[in-house]
Amino acid sequence: MSNTITFTIDGVEVTGQPGQTIMEAADAAGIYIPRLCALEELSPHGSCRVCTVMVNGRPQAACTQPIADGMVVENDTEQILAIRRDIIDMLFVEGNHFCMFCEKSGNCELQALAYRFGIAAPRFPYLFPKRDIDATHPDIFIDRNRCILCGRCVRASRDIDGKNVFEFVGRGFEKRVAVNAEANLADTDAAATDEAVNVCPTGALLKKRVGYAVPVGQRKYDHKPIGSEIEKK
Amino acid sequence: MSETLESAIRDISQACGNDRSRMMDIVEAVQAKYGCVSGEAMDLIAKQVSTHRVEVESVVSFYAFLSEQPKGKVVIRLCDDIIDEMKGSESVAEAFKQELGIDFGETTPDGVITLEKTPCIGMCDQAPAALINNEIITYLSSDLAREIVRKLKKNPDPKKLVGRLGDGNNASHLVHSMVHNNIRLAGEVIFSEMAPGAGLKNALALNPQEVIRDVKTARLRGRGGAGFPTGMKWDFTRQATGDKKYVLCNADEGEPGTFKDRVILTEKSDLMFEGMAIAGYAIGADTGIVYLRGEYAYLRPLLEDVLARRRNDNLLGNDVMGKKGFNFDIRIQMGAGAYICGEETALISSCEGLRGDPKNRPPFPAQKGYLGCPTVVNNVETFCKVARILEHGPGWFAKMGSEGSSGTKLLSISGDCAKPGVYEVPFGIKVREVLDLCDAEDTAAVQVGGPSGQMIGMNQFGDSICYEHLATGGSVMVFNSTRDVLTIARKFMEFFVEESCGFCTPCRVGNVLLKEKLDDIIEGKGKSGDLDYLESLGATIKAASRCGLGQTSPNPILTTIKNFRSVYEAKIAAGKVEEGFQPTFDIHAALQTAEGIAGRKSVHA
Ligand SMILES: Cc1cc2nc3c(=O)[nH]c(=O)nc-3n(C[C@H](O)[C@H](O)[C@H](O)COP(=O)(O)O)c2cc1C
Ligand code: SF4
Ligand code: FES
Ligand code: FES
């Protein structure tokens, strides 16, 4: 058994270590694979499916699929881009996203992905769900209108903060993030210092009173597209 | 009250060893006792098994048969399947509503009776049917529905509703149900006489590798739908490292139109348990679990009885059949109303006391399954086949069926035919032959493999049923020329929207979008380009979904577009009011909420 694994992404040879996922190996090689539920510090979830790639001709999630010698991965093809565009569109129409009034604008990974994919408006009709807001906590608020069910907060609270403040309830289209209390975040032991509060890709879980500490125009994705931090490596 | 809830939950949890992985048993017991798992109960359970309240809520909110809100002492669940609809379930639904004075999803003001709809309960051959608590009522009519309500109002004991008993074991005191087996064609593999222990004895005379060799030589493939080679699966599990291994039997039978496992469970569970024990011996497991769908709870006493007898006869237990060191026992895990739990990794999640979310693969169950241990999951029928292969030899089995699909297959046939029921046929049989067997007339379409399979038209009735051509886990639904394939497809899409676990984006959102577009087309609001839209959206869902549910859920639409395109085109053409203008936006509907709030009609609309 050799210690490195060699495979290709869009024809480019990439090497990685046994046990690495396609996404991990691609990151190290400076190849960006779009993602929303994956985050380096968290265990892979495999739920958003934005990272879908073709592996030897079959679709797989790059964030969960381990690499193997000789694997042929397609990342930047018309077919894959169309799938990703559809998924990003789905996330937009599934919630109620009003980026222009959102304090996360410019730091939002969903918004940034839409820009990277050149999506001006989704091709699917909006579903306008009724979603709850929870502003009971003194320092944190939840706006489920913007939640994309990536499960980052669930994993961070459980695996990093050791608190299990968040968990999914309901199933299918009714699925949502609940808190570990009768109803309100204020009744949990959530704190503004929790990692769970930092990991939300959108504006669904935010700290209060710091929304505009960094002005619009100077935010993470205002000048460089999402993924460029990986590609510049 | 609160104190008794506390002590009841303590007792229930302790009976499950305060084991978090037995969460399903705990919440099911609480639900049965209190008609709900209230917030207070969730807190108490969480404390008892050392978990978090929200984890309990997460489980309870996932399953259709569990609820945080109190339900009636009696819950009437009317089967909401396309076949039931064809057999008149709508008038039955009306009768229930009128007689109870409530709508579906509601409970009578006295808190006694709750009325609900539920997806296929596996009684399509005796539809319309309903599940009333654990009792099954078949061949419903609106008169019978009214009578049921009147009886329940006098005495809210569903057991008293059971009318004339069914055939075979359905009539035994352990089952005591109206269900009929409707075994129309008894083949030699499943329905021939069996002597308990015959297959197992032969297996124990071989070593485990030889048992697997025989299963491979028989070319047995899984009967649950996916058709994976059984011997290969067992080999992987046998070779996987782990002190403890498990054998799981998939008795979730949730694919609409499938009911053959129900008949096996009623008449031939011995064969299934025997196959599980053989699997245990082959892979080195000492525990088997049957995951039984909640709808089949009425069969549990019978199954427990058969298990007890097998223990008594040393066909289970320690040193099974005198084989030193081979210990194997089986327990039953009840499901609670979730189609997705038939997917093998979701089934494992549910057995572990979690939401029925599928798991990421790899690792596959053969490496890391139930509680992280190497696990074999097979369908009810697959285990029966194994028992027979070991009894009569692989050659006997491989001689039956077709080249790539050896042996026989149980079909559950329902819909527009004179003889709905269970047929054991050799693989390779043509659709036309099946239609002849069940006396179907004027057939225009056949749904092979349930909603996740395909809808075929007449030009494919010459195709054969086998893994290579028309694959099916058993469901065959027959539709005559009076049926509308679009309405059928919509029914199936509603099913998938309802049953998606919601974990991954394409399945959770995409199916809703597919269904909405189909609704538009059916309502005459279709436009050119809609079929391309459905096809491209369907392709994304199939490609990007995480598990088999989303990977097949667009099939009702995609296969009807493929095989019945002209029906769609006619509908879209007929809906066009005039060239260049299609009413896709209904201003009156859009204004309704606002008008309701304002309390008056809009001036301009
Ligand atoms: C959504 C979904 C539902 C399923 N339901 C069932 C089921 O009810 N019964 C079953 O045996 N297999 C079902 N399967 C297939 C199982 O995942 C698995 O392939 C099967 O249990 C393996 O057993 P087999 O090889 O003996 O067929 C389902 C699969 C999916 C994706
Ligand atoms: S495809 Fe995705 S959302 Fe659908 S049931 Fe499977 S994991 Fe759940
Ligand atoms: S990043 Fe891989 S599924 Fe979300
Ligand atoms: S801009 Fe994306 S959630 Fe606000």
Side-chain angles (χ1 to χ4, degrees):
Chain A
M1 230 177 86
S2 90
N3 266 339
T4 58
I5 289 176
T6 309
F7 67 106
T8 63
I9 301 180
D10 295 328
V12 177
E13 200 171 280
V14 175
T15 55
Q17 266 67 60
Q20 270 187 322
T21 62
I22 295 173
M23 185 178 284
E24 286 167 333
D27 279 2
I31 298 171
Y32 174 63
I33 299 175
R35 69 206 66 183
L36 280 168
C37 66
L39 194 64
E40 215 177 325
E41 66 195 75
L42 300 173
S43 57
H45 200 231
S47 64
C48 75
R49 313 310 278 181
V50 169
C51 70
T52 299
V53 291
M54 284 290 171
V55 178
N56 303 331
R58 291 192 53 189
Q60 300 283 3
C63 68
T64 58
Q65 189 66 29
I67 54 173
D69 259 319
M71 203 177 224
V72 178
V73 177
E74 293 165 63
N75 175 43
D76 199 6
T77 65
E78 214 13 79
Q79 183 195 16
I80 286 294
L81 297 183
I83 289 173
R84 291 178 185 158
R85 222 176 279 127
D86 274 0
I87 294 172
I88 296 165
D89 273 5
M90 286 181 197
L91 290 169
F92 271 102
V93 302
E94 181 194 25
N96 300 304
H97 296 273
F98 301 99
C99 301
M100 54 296 220
F101 329 118
C102 180
E103 53 272 61
K104 188 82 173 191
S105 192
N107 284 328
C108 173
E109 294 177 39
L110 179 64
Q111 182 194 41
L113 263 186
Y115 280 131
R116 186 174 168 124
F117 277 80
I119 298 172
R123 75 172 180 119
F124 305 128
Y126 285 100
L127 296 169
F128 298 121
K130 286 203 164 50
R131 300 259 187 97
D132 296 333
I133 288 175
D134 181 346
T136 56
H137 194 281
D139 304 318
I140 308 163
F141 80 86
I142 307 175
D143 183 350
R144 293 191 179 84
N145 290 295
R146 305 168 186 165
C147 176
I148 58 168
L149 303 171
C150 66
R152 285 191 190 175
C153 57
V154 175
R155 284 171 286 155
S157 183
R158 183 189 60 212
D159 302 336
I160 298 180
D161 304 325
K163 286 185 176 180
N164 297 67
V165 171
F166 304 101
E167 186 49 274
F168 290 121
V169 299
R171 79 170 182 221
F173 198 68
E174 306 300 318
K175 184 173 172 170
R176 63 185 181 87
V177 168
V179 298
N180 187 31
E182 180 81 36
N184 298 328
L185 188 61
D187 300 327
T188 69
D189 54 356
T193 49
D194 287 354
E195 185 59 8
V197 188
N198 294 325
V199 295
C200 180
T202 70
L205 192 56
L206 286 174
K207 283 182 205 162
K208 289 182 175 173
R209 296 179 298 278
V210 293
Y212 292 94
V214 178
V216 172
Q218 295 174 24
R219 297 180 170 193
K220 200 165 170 195
Y221 306 119
D222 282 343
H223 301 287
K224 287 194 204 112
I226 189 168
S228 54
E229 65 281 7
I230 290 168
E231 286 162 331
K232 75 172 190 289
K233 272 196 240 175
Chain B
M1 177 67 205
S2 249
E3 213 175 26
T4 56
L5 179 67
E6 190 170 349
S7 60
I9 285 179
R10 195 181 326 111
D11 293 346
I12 290 169
S13 305
Q14 271 167 5
C16 297
N18 288 330
D19 181 354
R20 199 233 171 277
S21 76
R22 299 285 300 282
M23 183 65 80
M24 286 298 280
D25 295 331
I26 298 172
V27 290
E28 281 164 358
V30 173
Q31 178 80 34
K33 196 169 160 110
Y34 294 98
C36 67
V37 185
S38 63
E40 193 184 353
M42 291 181 195
D43 274 324
L44 292 165
I45 295 168
K47 211 169 86 194
Q48 202 65 39
V49 304
S50 314
T51 184
H52 302 265
R53 172 210 162 101
V54 74
E55 311 276 325
V56 185
E57 185 183 353
S58 175
V59 174
V60 170
S61 62
F62 190 89
Y63 296 92
F65 290 1
L66 302 172
S67 62
E68 184 174 354
Q69 299 311 318
K71 289 206 178 156
K73 197 173 148 62
V74 177
V75 183
I76 301 175
R77 294 189 169 96
L78 181 62
C79 182
D80 184 25
D81 189 69
I82 184 70
I83 303 294
D84 290 67
E85 212 170 279
M86 284 157 45
K87 306 285 170 187
S89 65
E90 271 172 29
S91 67
V92 175
E94 269 314 304
F96 272 127
K97 271 164 53 175
Q98 280 176 8
E99 205 65 29
L100 287 165
I102 55 172
D103 206 343
F104 283 87
E106 294 178 353
T107 301
T108 51
D110 58 5
V112 178
I113 303 174
T114 299
L115 186 58
E116 290 183 355
K117 285 191 177 169
T118 194
C120 183
I121 60 172
M123 303 290 158
C124 310
D125 57 337
Q126 38 215 300
L131 186 64
I132 306 190
N133 289 2
N134 288 344
E135 310 304 322
I136 308 260
I137 311 292
T138 57
Y139 298 117
L140 272 164
S141 62
S142 43
D143 287 346
L144 183 52
R146 290 206 178 81
E147 190 187 319
I148 285 171
V149 173
R150 282 195 289 270
K151 281 189 187 163
L152 284 174
K153 280 183 175 165
K154 270 192 226 128
N155 179 7
D157 178 5
K159 284 201 169 33
K160 296 277 184 297
L161 299 172
V162 175
R164 233 173 81 202
L165 297 179
D167 55 341
N169 284 335
N170 290 298
S172 81
H173 72 284
L174 289 165
V175 181
H176 192 77
S177 88
M178 300 166 72
V179 178
H180 282 267
N181 290 326
N182 288 332
I183 302 171
R184 307 279 183 176
L185 186 63
E188 59 179 314
V189 183
I190 300 291
F191 291 118
S192 56
E193 277 307 305
M194 124 177 248
L200 185 55
K201 185 162 151 258
N202 291 347
L204 296 178
L206 304 173
N207 68 35
Q209 289 96 313
E210 290 167 335
V211 172
I212 293 178
R213 181 204 61 203
D214 278 3
V215 175
K216 283 183 177 170
T217 311
R219 288 183 280 117
L220 178 64
R221 293 172 66 174
R223 264 38 177 180
F228 195 83
T230 307
M232 206 195 282
K233 188 188 278 189
W234 289 16
D235 220 2
F236 290 148
T237 318
R238 196 184 69 79
Q239 286 171 25
T241 41
D243 300 336
K244 194 126 177 92
K245 297 183 181 177
Y246 291 91
V247 175
L248 264 51
C249 174
N250 191 340
D252 197 50
E253 190 157 70
E255 188 75 35
T258 318
F259 45 83
K260 48 103 188 166
D261 289 345
R262 186 241 303 153
V263 177
I264 294 179
L265 293 161
T266 309
E267 300 301 333
K268 290 286 171 186
S269 64
D270 246 322
L271 209 50
M272 170 185 85
F273 291 136
E274 183 131 337
M276 289 177 72
I278 293 169
Y281 177 67
I283 67 160
D286 65 5
T287 306
I289 302 173
V290 177
Y291 188 86
L292 184 64
R293 71 185 305 213
E295 290 82 348
Y296 293 170
Y298 75 102
L299 290 171
R300 187 170 184 176
L302 173 74
L303 296 174
E304 296 285 7
D305 188 64
V306 175
L307 284 174
R309 208 196 56 234
R310 290 185 73 88
R311 282 184 200 112
N312 207 36
D313 297 344
N314 191 223
L315 297 170
L316 288 173
N318 289 339
D319 300 332
V320 173
M321 291 188 98
K323 182 86 180 177
K324 280 268 162 291
F326 176 51
N327 308 330
F328 191 78
D329 210 335
I330 296 173
R331 72 175 168 87
I332 295 171
Q333 174 69 59
M334 292 307 302
Y339 165 65
I340 185 61
C341 289
E343 194 283 335
E344 58 183 9
T345 61
L347 181 142
I348 291 171
S349 297
S350 188
C351 286
E352 292 170 337
L354 303 168
R355 297 162 63 78
D357 286 335
K359 295 175 190 282
N360 286 321
R361 275 155 293 203
F364 289 88
Q367 278 104 43
K368 276 187 194 318
Y370 178 63
L371 301 176
C373 304
T375 301
V376 149
V377 184
N378 277 123
N379 172 257
V380 169
E381 187 185 343
T382 311
F383 283 119
C384 295
K385 300 260 142 99
V386 163
R388 287 300 194 196
I389 289 167
L390 268 296
E391 183 181 344
H392 296 300
W396 167 83
F397 186 83
K399 269 207 316 284
M400 289 176 263
S402 69
E403 180 53 33
S405 313
S406 63
T408 60
K409 180 79 191 85
L410 291 196
L411 300 181
S412 321
I413 303 184
S414 64
D416 293 317
C417 63
K419 293 192 211 147
V422 173
Y423 293 73
E424 180 171 3
V425 297
F427 264 127
I429 192 169
K430 301 220 175 345
V431 174
R432 192 171 293 118
E433 296 172 285
V434 170
L435 293 173
D436 285 344
L437 281 175
C438 67
D439 278 355
E441 276 172 26
D442 183 30
T443 308
V446 181
Q447 183 80 28
V448 184
S452 70
Q454 43 187 320
M455 178 78 100
I456 59 165
M458 281 191 267
N459 59 340
Q460 277 179 277
F461 290 177
D463 288 4
S464 54
I465 293 181
C466 57
Y467 296 106
E468 309 89 277
H469 296 284
L470 294 169
T472 174
S475 173
V476 175
M477 298 168 164
V478 183
F479 301 103
N480 67 25
S481 64
T482 67
R483 312 294 175 187
D484 174 26
V485 290
L486 266 56
T487 319
I488 298 167
R490 168 159 71 181
K491 196 83 193 162
F492 293 160
M493 288 316 299
E494 284 170 2
F495 170 75
F496 287 127
V497 167
E498 187 67 30
E499 296 299 327
S500 163
C501 82
F503 192 96
C504 71
T505 314
C507 172
R508 183 183 68 235
V509 188
N511 286 318
V512 176
L513 296 170
L514 279 180
K515 187 195 146 296
E516 295 218 328
K517 182 58 78 187
L518 183 58
D519 284 345
D520 282 352
I521 294 175
I522 290 175
E523 286 161 23
K525 289 188 274 179
K527 44 188 189 325
S528 53
D530 277 357
L531 297 188
D532 292 342
Y533 172 96
L534 288 171
E535 283 180 321
S536 68
L537 173 55
T540 295
I541 299 171
K542 285 182 77 133
S545 286
R546 180 165 171 263
C547 85
L549 195 155
Q551 287 158 11
T552 57
S553 61
N555 284 351
I557 290 182
L558 297 181
T559 66
T560 48
I561 292 183
K562 180 161 163 260
N563 298 326
F564 299 89
R565 196 176 181 97
S566 60
V567 181
Y568 280 89
E569 284 167 349
K571 198 89 193 170
I572 289 171
K576 283 191 185 167
V577 177
E578 58 189 65
E579 216 39 59
F581 173 75
Q582 288 114 20
T584 53
F585 181 71
D586 180 349
I587 181 130
H588 294 284
L591 286 172
Q592 236 171 25
T593 319
E595 288 177 343
I597 296 168
R600 62 174 177 81
K601 285 271 170 224
S602 163
V603 184
H604 298 288

